[in-house]
């Protein structure tokens, strides 16, 4: 599931202490989701997929971008969030 340019093993591209790859099941889910969206969005043009730079997110986004014929952007601002929402009006 790691494509060209993706680090092997436990190497992190994000600097996160843990940056796991997609599991086999996760890869299947990404493929099924991409196939579903391809059928659903067959008439779409200019598809753009944004992803966290985390390895598993990029792997999922690659499936989507490839099957939808889109462009993939890894956005460093998208990342795991382990806090609580403190939204105010």
């Amino acid at each position: 599931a790691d494509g060209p340019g993706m680090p092997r093993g436990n190497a992190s591209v994000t600097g996160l202490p843990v940056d796991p790859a997609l599991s086999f099941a996760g890869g299947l889910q990404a493929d099924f989701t991409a196939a579903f969206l391809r059928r659903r969005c067959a008439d779409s043009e200019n598809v753009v997929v944004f992803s966290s730079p985390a390895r598993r997110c990029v792997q999922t986004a690659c499936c989507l971008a490839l099957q939808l014929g889109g462009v993939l952007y890894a956005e460093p601002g998208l990342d795991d969030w382990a806090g609580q929402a403190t939204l105010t009006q």
Side-chain angles (χ1 to χ4, degrees):
D2 282 349
M6 292 298 292
R8 303 287 181 217
N10 293 323
S12 173
V13 294
T14 60
L16 295 171
V18 178
D19 192 13
L22 274 180
S23 65
F24 180 76
L28 287 176
Q29 290 173 337
D31 288 337
F32 289 143
T33 301
F36 171 80
L37 289 173
R38 186 180 69 236
R39 290 189 305 273
R40 200 64 188 177
C41 305
D43 298 333
S44 298
E45 295 180 16
N46 303 320
V47 173
V48 179
V49 178
F50 289 91
S51 171
S52 160
R55 176 188 282 177
R56 65 195 178 281
C57 299
V58 171
Q59 290 171 318
T60 300
C62 279
C63 289
L64 297 172
L66 286 171
Q67 289 203 36
L68 296 173
V71 177
L72 169 61
Y73 291 99
E75 174 56 50
L78 298 174
D79 203 348
D80 287 341
W81 184 67
Q84 297 242 341
T86 56
L87 301 175
T88 60
Q89 292 185 350

